[in-house]
Amino acid sequence: MSKIAKIIDGKTVHVFDKSQFNWHEIRNCGQIFRDPPCEVTEDSDKIVLKAKKDKDSDWLWHYFDLETDYSEIKNELAQFDALGEAIKPGGGIRILNQPFKECVISFIISANNNIKRFSKTIAQIDFTNPEKHTEIDFNKMGCGYRAPYLVSAIKMLSTMNFKILSELDNNMLRKELIKLSGVGPKVADCIMLFAFHRLDVCPIDVHIHRALKQLGAQNADAIINHKYAGVAQQYIFYYVQHLKGQLK
DNA sequence: GGCCAGGCGCGGA
DNA sequence: TCCGCGCATGGC
């Protein structure tokens, strides 16, 4: 039984360890770009999550990965001197279990785009029924040249089985995901981390490379290949955004 | 006003 | 298999 949180009733979850749950940090570490799928309110001694309409507390439990103790992950990553400082500002980060389709669609749109712009696009998408959006719809939402990729990928998604994909190892899974149009190595890694919870997968881009160098990581390879490399990546991403002062 | 954005698809070598 | 290029469009 988790010491972090407790299911109170069918719609409510209480998170008692406030040091490892912070929606602002979860929202701004680069894994998700929209409002939470539940009410999040803070009490003096706990955080209260209340599920919306079609969701329930079991769903929230899985979505927020409340079984996992992130203090242990933080301790493990803190062995790297270069990460010591980077972990501090985003201590409340958790890696979500995002719905597969939503994750694929979101990260296709993120490619060669900026966060502010594509967040606005993502806010307009109906993720419960993405099949209903046409190429013209996606164009109106500002998807640009990615509109046909999205239509094609969404169609292909309906032939894919999340459970079967879940059983593949990292290399095989990446290979399958790249078959989706608009999905290359970088977007595939994001999907693996944020929808398949492959915490060892570390989406690498120039920012992360630069940040590791800036943090003085002589052992960047050891970090990138660590079993929690993906989580480390999220602390680094948040840390950089935090320093840039670009967080709302 | 020009460069950039959490890259990717495509054609040619 | 590996380059180099073009790409919609708003933010800055």
Side-chain angles (χ1 to χ4, degrees), chain A residues 1-247:
Chain A
M1 188 60 192
S2 167
K3 282 177 255 171
I4 301 155
K6 192 178 174 189
I7 290 178
I8 301 302
D9 59 40
K11 288 282 184 186
T12 317
V13 177
H14 286 179
V15 182
F16 298 107
D17 188 346
K18 292 165 73 171
S19 75
Q20 50 173 306
F21 188 108
N22 182 304
W23 171 253
H24 177 270
E25 293 164 15
I26 290 170
R27 169 67 177 76
N28 288 292
C29 62
Q31 61 178 322
I32 185 144
F33 310 96
R34 64 194 202 107
D35 292 337
C38 64
E39 270 182 44
V40 182
T41 51
E42 186 162 354
D43 238 337
S44 57
D45 60 339
K46 63 182 177 294
I47 293 161
V48 179
L49 309 177
K50 238 182 168 48
K52 292 178 184 171
K53 44 187 180 176
D54 55 325
K55 305 287 194 292
D56 61 20
S57 41
D58 286 336
W59 188 91
L60 291 180
W61 190 269
H62 178 65
Y63 180 78
F64 285 109
D65 191 27
L66 291 171
E67 204 60 41
T68 304
D69 187 347
Y70 279 76
S71 61
E72 287 174 13
I73 295 178
K74 282 183 272 186
N75 285 339
E76 273 212 43
L77 291 175
Q79 66 169 303
F80 297 106
D81 291 340
L83 293 183
E85 283 305 307
I87 291 173
K88 285 180 190 168
I93 288 171
R94 314 182 67 77
I95 308 297
L96 301 172
N97 281 296
Q98 294 187 48
F100 180 36
K101 285 186 192 180
E102 173 177 338
C103 192
V104 170
I105 294 165
S106 300
F107 281 92
I108 288 175
I109 297 170
S110 79
N112 193 28
N113 209 336
N114 66 68
I115 294 181
K116 276 204 173 140
R117 196 170 102 81
F118 71 68
S119 297
K120 284 182 183 172
T121 300
I122 287 172
Q124 301 173 61
I125 295 178
D126 175 7
F127 287 113
T128 60
N129 189 16
E131 295 81 5
K132 78 175 190 189
H133 296 304
T134 65
E135 192 176 323
I136 294 169
D137 293 338
F138 284 127
N139 265 315
K140 281 184 188 157
M141 296 177 197
C143 295
Y145 64 90
R146 307 170 196 84
Y149 299 162
L150 287 166
V151 173
S152 161
I154 289 167
K155 195 174 175 188
M156 210 186 304
L157 275 171
S158 64
T159 70
M160 292 172 116
N161 184 310
F162 179 78
K163 210 162 185 182
I164 292 173
L165 291 174
S166 301
E167 288 163 10
L168 300 176
D169 65 35
N170 285 351
N171 285 333
M172 289 299 295
L173 178 55
R174 186 177 290 108
K175 224 169 160 182
E176 287 303 307
L177 293 174
I178 285 175
K179 288 180 184 170
L180 293 161
S181 68
V183 176
K186 158 65 171 58
V187 170
D189 280 1
C190 288
I191 297 166
M192 289 169 71
L193 179 56
F194 305 130
F196 290 87
H197 217 66
R198 303 291 168 97
L199 300 186
D200 57 329
V201 172
C202 181
I204 298 285
D205 56 33
V206 284
H207 304 285
I208 299 300
H209 259 306
R210 210 177 298 153
L212 282 170
K213 212 174 260 183
Q214 264 175 10
L215 291 166
Q218 269 88 20
N219 44 8
D221 279 346
I223 295 172
I224 287 168
N225 293 310
H226 191 269
K227 66 171 172 170
Y228 295 130
V231 191
Q233 195 263 21
Q234 294 290 278
Y235 293 127
I236 293 168
F237 188 96
Y238 184 83
Y239 176 72
V240 172
Q241 297 290 317
H242 177 78
L243 287 186
K244 279 177 16 189
Q246 287 190 349
L247 301 178

